[in-house]
Amino acid sequence: MIIRFIVVMLLLAASLVAQDKPIIKPGAVILDEDYSKPDAAGKWTTVGGHWTIKDGVLMGTVGGRKSPALVYPRRYHDVLLTTRFKLVDNICMIVRFEGWHGAQSVGLVIYRDSILVQKLQARDDAHTEKGKFVDLGRAAQKIDAGRWYELTVSVVGDELKASIEGGGSVSVKNPGFDVDHSEVAVVFSGGVGFLSKLKAVVPGQ
C-alpha cells in the first residue's frame, strides 16, 4: 500500500498543465498510440521505471526501485479507453484517471485473480482519509502471465465500466467520477509489463 501511495503521489507531482478547456466533443481523440515509432516516447511523462518501444509494443520495467509508471497529460471529462496489455511478473496493472485540480481520481487495478475499481480521496472529500484508497467494486478475472489481453474501460458521468476480453467485467457508480480529469496514467506495479495500441476517445459517437 505504501508503494502504491508513493506512485500516486509521483503521478500527481508529474502532472503537466493541460488544456484550458476539456476535450468533450463526442468521438474526439484524447490519445491514440500504436507504438509503431520510437518518437511516441515523447508524448508521455515518465514518473517511474524504464519504458522502451520495440515492434509496436511499449515495455515498462522496474528502475531505481520504482515501478514503471507514466502519464499522458490531457484534460477531458468522459473517456472510453481501449488497449492491449500483457503482464509478466507484476503484482498488478493500474489504469488511473486523475481528477482535475484535486477532484476525485479513479483507478482500475488489474490483479492476477480480479479487477478492482478504486478511488483516491478528492481534495474536498471529508469522508475519506487523506491519501487513502477506497475499494468500490471487484470482479473475478484470471490473468495468465505472458498472455495478451484486450481491456476496455470507460468513465461516463458518474459510472465506470471495465471489461477484459473473454473474462470479467465491473461497473461502479460514484458521484465523484463526474468531474474533469487531467491525465491518463498507467502503472505496472512491481514487474515487467507491455502495452499495445492504447487509445482514448470521448464516448458518444
Side-chain angles (χ1 to χ4, degrees), residues 109-176:
V109 186
I110 302 171
Y111 291 103
R112 290 303 180 87
D113 61 355
S114 61
I115 52 179
L116 171 68
V117 178
Q118 288 186 327
K119 74 170 182 175
L120 179 66
Q121 180 209 33
R123 182 172 54 193
D124 58 353
D125 180 4
H127 303 289
T128 306
E129 183 182 346
K130 185 176 181 180
K132 184 177 178 60
F133 292 89
V134 177
D135 296 348
L136 300 178
R138 185 187 293 265
Q141 169 68 54
K142 186 176 185 296
I143 300 293
D144 296 322
R147 175 183 169 185
W148 283 101
Y149 290 89
E150 302 275 352
L151 170 67
T152 301
V153 55
S154 65
V155 180
V156 179
D158 65 353
E159 184 173 25
L160 181 147
K161 294 182 178 180
S163 62
I164 294 178
E165 173 193 23
S169 62
V170 63
S171 176
V172 173
K173 285 191 174 184
N174 186 286

Side-chain angles (χ1 to χ4, degrees), residues 44-60:
W44 69 70
T45 300
T46 298
V47 292
H50 300 297
W51 296 88
T52 56
I53 294 174
K54 184 178 179 180
D55 299 328
V57 174
L58 176 66
M59 179 177 70

Side-chain angles (χ1 to χ4, degrees), residues 4-24:
R4 194 182 303 168
F5 174 73
I6 292 172
V7 169
V8 171
M9 292 302 100
L10 287 170
L11 294 176
L12 294 174
S15 297
L16 301 179
V17 177
Q19 295 96 331
D20 290 336
K21 295 182 179 179
I23 303 170
I24 59 173

Side-chain angles (χ1 to χ4, degrees), residues 20-49:
D20 290 336
K21 295 182 179 179
I23 303 170
I24 59 173
K25 182 179 179 181
V29 175
I30 298 170
L31 65 92
D32 187 3
E33 294 293 351
D34 62 8
Y35 304 114
S36 60
K37 298 179 181 179
D39 63 3
K43 299 178 182 178
W44 69 70
T45 300
T46 298
V47 292

